[in-house]
Amino acid sequence: MTTLKSKLQDDLNAAIKGRDELRSSTLRLTLAAITKEEVAGKKKRELSDDEVLKVITKEAKKRREAADAFAQGGRAESAEREKAEGEVLAAYLPKQLSDDELNDIVGQAVAEAKAAGAEGPRAMGAVMKIVNPKVAGQAEGGRVAAVVKKLLAG
């Protein structure tokens, strides 16, 4: 069974051989982030695939935020580069939920929380508790929270 980390390593080698600068630099940075995480604790350890996914998710989020910042700063070329790197990383992440799918899941959770008596500001936490395990890795926290707020206000 190949681990996600070894898949990244293999893909990096292929990208280097294929002279794919964008892929190779993106994967190199991501593997460096994984290694950094592995040596972060008291003793070095191998990350599980789930932990590697968290690192990739964090790296992809950094790319998205940088792309937005560059776009706002009028640096379109840098924004495009960050976006392209984000797309390389997205290939390793679980498929993201569509807005409709997310709305359905949150809608059910809102109904569930209200049925359990959660109301007002407290409902937000109750709904998030129901939603988070269902959407783990498939939708970003900020996006989920926005939909929850919208549906609770609705």
Side-chain angles (χ1 to χ4, degrees):
M1 188 198 121
T2 51
T3 62
L4 185 53
K5 184 182 174 188
S6 61
K7 180 172 174 22
L8 288 168
Q9 196 67 60
D10 293 344
D11 292 354
L12 171 59
N13 292 337
I16 291 169
K17 281 188 186 117
R19 295 204 188 326
D20 184 339
E21 193 276 325
L22 174 78
R23 275 186 85 77
S24 61
S25 83
T26 304
L27 294 176
R28 197 175 276 126
L29 286 167
T30 304
L31 282 159
I34 292 166
T35 304
K36 186 176 163 202
E37 195 63 36
E38 287 177 334
V39 297
K42 284 188 169 66
K43 61 181 206 253
K44 190 177 187 320
R45 62 193 178 83
E46 277 288 312
L47 294 187
S48 70
D49 277 358
D50 279 349
E51 292 170 311
V52 170
L53 265 182
K54 281 190 183 120
V55 173
I56 297 173
T57 304
K58 214 178 344 183
E59 290 293 307
K61 184 179 179 189
K62 277 187 205 164
R63 301 304 189 288
R64 262 196 310 280
E65 289 169 352
D68 291 344
F70 281 134
Q72 284 165 3
R75 295 181 53 196
E77 205 174 287
S78 299
E80 282 308 308
R81 167 77 188 201
E82 294 289 337
K83 227 180 246 151
E85 288 183 6
E87 281 162 21
V88 168
L89 295 175
Y92 297 95
L93 297 171
K95 193 174 135 326
Q96 296 294 294
L97 294 168
S98 71
D99 290 344
D100 289 345
E101 291 169 319
L102 187 58
N103 280 327
D104 290 347
I105 293 170
V106 172
Q108 288 166 356
V110 166
E112 225 174 284
K114 283 189 172 156
E119 275 177 46
R122 272 226 227 62
M124 178 86 186
V127 173
M128 290 300 279
K129 239 183 230 134
I130 299 167
V131 173
N132 280 335
K134 293 182 181 170
V135 301
Q138 299 178 307
E140 208 173 73
R143 194 176 147 217
V144 175
V147 174
V148 171
K149 276 189 191 123
K150 189 180 84 189
L151 294 183
L152 282 175

